[in-house]
Amino acid sequence: MPRFFTLTQAEKLLPQVESAIREAIARKAEYDRVEAEWQNLSRRVTEQGGMNVDRSGWIDLKKRRESAALGVNNSIERVHEFGCLVKDLDIGLIDFPTLFDGQEVCLCWKLGESGIHFWHGVHEGFRGRKAIDEKFLENHQGELPN
Protein backbone atom coordinates (compact mmCIF):
# COMPACT_ATOMS: atom_id res chain seq x y z
CA MET A 1 0.00 0.00 0.00
CA PRO A 2 1.60 3.30 -1.03
CA ARG A 3 2.31 6.05 1.42
CA PHE A 4 0.79 9.43 0.65
CA PHE A 5 2.48 12.64 1.77
CA THR A 6 1.31 16.14 2.45
CA LEU A 7 3.67 18.81 1.17
CA THR A 8 4.70 19.52 4.78
CA GLN A 9 5.46 15.84 5.45
CA ALA A 10 7.49 15.51 2.24
CA GLU A 11 9.50 18.67 2.89
CA LYS A 12 10.23 17.58 6.44
CA LEU A 13 11.67 14.33 5.06
CA LEU A 14 13.58 16.05 2.26
CA PRO A 15 16.98 16.38 4.05
CA GLN A 16 17.08 12.63 4.69
CA VAL A 17 15.92 11.84 1.16
CA GLU A 18 18.51 14.22 -0.27
CA SER A 19 21.27 12.53 1.69
CA ALA A 20 20.13 9.10 0.53
CA ILE A 21 19.84 10.11 -3.14
CA ARG A 22 23.30 11.72 -3.05
CA GLU A 23 24.67 8.43 -1.69
CA ALA A 24 22.86 6.50 -4.43
CA ILE A 25 24.28 8.80 -7.12
CA ALA A 26 27.81 8.41 -5.72
CA ARG A 27 27.43 4.63 -5.67
CA LYS A 28 26.13 4.66 -9.23
CA ALA A 29 29.18 6.68 -10.31
CA GLU A 30 31.40 4.03 -8.72
CA TYR A 31 29.42 1.29 -10.44
CA ASP A 32 29.78 3.09 -13.79
CA ARG A 33 33.57 3.30 -13.30
CA VAL A 34 33.84 -0.40 -12.46
CA GLU A 35 31.46 -1.35 -15.28
CA ALA A 36 33.65 0.56 -17.77
CA GLU A 37 36.69 -1.37 -16.50
CA TRP A 38 34.70 -4.61 -16.84
CA GLN A 39 33.66 -3.80 -20.41
CA ASN A 40 37.22 -2.82 -21.33
CA LEU A 41 38.63 -6.03 -19.88
CA SER A 42 35.94 -8.13 -21.58
CA ARG A 43 36.76 -6.49 -24.91
CA ARG A 44 40.49 -7.17 -24.47
CA VAL A 45 39.85 -10.81 -23.53
CA THR A 46 37.67 -11.25 -26.61
CA GLU A 47 40.25 -9.62 -28.87
CA GLN A 48 43.01 -11.85 -27.49
CA GLY A 49 40.91 -14.99 -27.64
CA GLY A 50 41.11 -15.44 -23.87
CA MET A 51 44.88 -15.64 -23.88
CA ASN A 52 46.91 -14.16 -21.01
CA VAL A 53 43.96 -13.51 -18.73
CA ASP A 54 44.90 -12.39 -15.23
CA ARG A 55 42.40 -14.60 -13.44
CA SER A 56 42.88 -13.00 -10.01
CA GLY A 57 42.41 -9.54 -11.52
CA TRP A 58 39.34 -10.75 -13.40
CA ILE A 59 37.83 -12.21 -10.21
CA ASP A 60 38.64 -9.07 -8.22
CA LEU A 61 37.01 -6.86 -10.83
CA LYS A 62 33.97 -9.12 -10.93
CA LYS A 63 33.61 -8.85 -7.14
CA ARG A 64 34.00 -5.05 -7.26
CA ARG A 65 31.35 -4.87 -9.99
CA GLU A 66 28.88 -7.01 -8.02
CA SER A 67 29.56 -5.05 -4.82
CA ALA A 68 29.04 -1.73 -6.60
CA ALA A 69 25.75 -2.94 -8.12
CA LEU A 70 24.57 -4.10 -4.71
CA GLY A 71 25.53 -0.73 -3.24
CA VAL A 72 23.43 1.10 -5.85
CA ASN A 73 20.45 -1.17 -5.20
CA ASN A 74 20.76 -0.75 -1.43
CA SER A 75 20.94 3.04 -1.74
CA ILE A 76 17.87 3.16 -3.97
CA GLU A 77 16.03 0.88 -1.54
CA ARG A 78 16.94 3.28 1.28
CA VAL A 79 15.17 6.07 -0.62
CA HIS A 80 12.16 3.84 -1.27
CA GLU A 81 11.92 2.98 2.44
CA PHE A 82 10.95 6.61 3.09
CA GLY A 83 7.90 6.01 0.91
CA CYS A 84 9.05 8.04 -2.08
CA LEU A 85 10.14 6.89 -5.53
CA VAL A 86 13.40 7.34 -7.42
CA LYS A 87 12.32 8.36 -10.92
CA ASP A 88 15.71 9.26 -12.43
CA LEU A 89 18.88 8.45 -10.53
CA ASP A 90 21.12 10.36 -12.94
CA ILE A 91 19.52 13.71 -12.06
CA GLY A 92 18.25 12.84 -8.58
CA LEU A 93 14.56 12.99 -9.47
CA ILE A 94 12.22 11.92 -6.66
CA ASP A 95 8.42 11.62 -6.48
CA PHE A 96 6.40 11.71 -3.26
CA PRO A 97 2.93 10.21 -3.77
CA THR A 98 0.06 12.40 -2.61
CA LEU A 99 -3.66 12.80 -3.22
CA PHE A 100 -5.15 15.79 -5.04
CA ASP A 101 -8.91 16.05 -5.46
CA GLY A 102 -9.10 12.35 -4.57
CA GLN A 103 -6.64 11.29 -7.30
CA GLU A 104 -3.16 9.94 -6.77
CA VAL A 105 -0.55 12.41 -8.01
CA CYS A 106 3.08 13.08 -7.14
CA LEU A 107 4.94 15.86 -5.44
CA CYS A 108 8.07 16.19 -7.56
CA TRP A 109 11.56 17.19 -6.41
CA LYS A 110 14.90 17.19 -8.19
CA LEU A 111 18.30 17.30 -6.53
CA GLY A 112 19.46 20.89 -6.37
CA GLU A 113 15.99 22.39 -5.97
CA SER A 114 15.53 24.37 -2.76
CA GLY A 115 12.31 22.58 -1.86
CA ILE A 116 9.30 20.85 -3.35
CA HIS A 117 7.64 23.34 -5.68
CA PHE A 118 5.99 21.08 -8.29
CA TRP A 119 3.53 18.24 -8.69
CA HIS A 120 2.34 16.09 -11.61
CA GLY A 121 -0.13 13.33 -12.40
CA VAL A 122 1.14 9.78 -12.11
CA HIS A 123 1.15 9.36 -15.90
CA GLU A 124 2.53 12.81 -16.73
CA GLY A 125 5.97 12.54 -15.20
CA PHE A 126 8.61 15.27 -15.04
CA ARG A 127 7.50 16.97 -18.28
CA GLY A 128 4.02 17.44 -16.83
CA ARG A 129 5.19 19.26 -13.72
CA LYS A 130 2.95 22.04 -12.50
CA ALA A 131 3.75 24.66 -9.90
CA ILE A 132 2.18 24.06 -6.51
CA ASP A 133 -0.44 26.75 -6.07
CA GLU A 134 -3.13 27.61 -3.51
CA LYS A 135 -5.70 25.31 -5.14
CA PHE A 136 -3.27 22.41 -4.88
CA LEU A 137 -2.40 23.22 -1.27
CA GLU A 138 -6.08 23.42 -0.28
CA ASN A 139 -7.05 20.18 -2.05
CA HIS A 140 -4.21 17.77 -1.47
CA GLN A 141 -3.77 15.35 1.38
CA GLY A 142 -1.42 12.73 2.72
CA GLU A 143 -2.25 9.67 4.74
CA LEU A 144 -5.30 10.03 6.89
CA PRO A 145 -4.62 9.89 10.64
CA ASN A 146 -5.36 6.56 12.33
Side-chain angles (χ1 to χ4, degrees):
M1 186 162 180
R3 175 177 181 187
F4 296 108
F5 295 86
T6 64
L7 178 60
T8 302
Q9 291 168 333
E11 288 212 321
K12 184 176 181 182
L13 194 59
L14 203 50
Q16 294 167 283
V17 171
E18 181 175 358
S19 174
I21 197 65
R22 285 185 185 281
E23 177 184 299
I25 290 169
R27 288 185 174 200
K28 183 180 181 295
E30 174 60 20
Y31 173 80
D32 290 344
R33 282 190 293 276
V34 173
E35 179 64 18
E37 286 182 56
W38 177 264
Q39 293 299 324
N40 188 34
L41 181 58
S42 295
R43 182 184 46 75
R44 287 196 329 256
V45 166
T46 300
E47 288 172 355
Q48 296 174 1
M51 302 299 286
N52 301 323
V53 174
D54 175 6
R55 293 203 189 279
S56 65
W58 181 271
I59 291 169
D60 178 59
L61 185 56
K62 182 179 179 185
K63 287 179 184 176
R64 286 178 38 220
R65 181 177 179 237
E66 290 168 356
S67 176
L70 183 61
V72 171
N73 288 335
N74 288 343
S75 293
I76 291 171
E77 184 58 35
R78 183 173 162 227
V79 174
H80 289 171
E81 286 172 359
F82 292 115
C84 49
L85 307 166
V86 176
K87 300 308 281 190
D88 186 329
L89 184 56
D90 292 325
I91 62 171
L93 186 61
I94 305 291
D95 281 350
F96 295 81
T98 191
L99 297 170
F100 175 58
D101 285 340
Q103 300 283 3
E104 183 176 347
V105 299
C106 297
L107 297 165
C108 184
W109 176 79
K110 185 174 86 165
L111 187 63
E113 293 179 339
S114 62
I116 301 171
H117 306 289
F118 301 96
W119 69 278
H120 59 77
V122 293
H123 299 292
E124 293 174 308
F126 184 79
R127 291 183 186 185
R129 292 194 337 164
K130 300 163 202 55
I132 294 173
D133 58 13
E134 286 301 316
K135 180 182 178 194
F136 182 86
L137 290 173
E138 292 171 1
N139 295 289
H140 91 286
Q141 66 184 44
E143 293 178 329
L144 298 176
N146 294 332

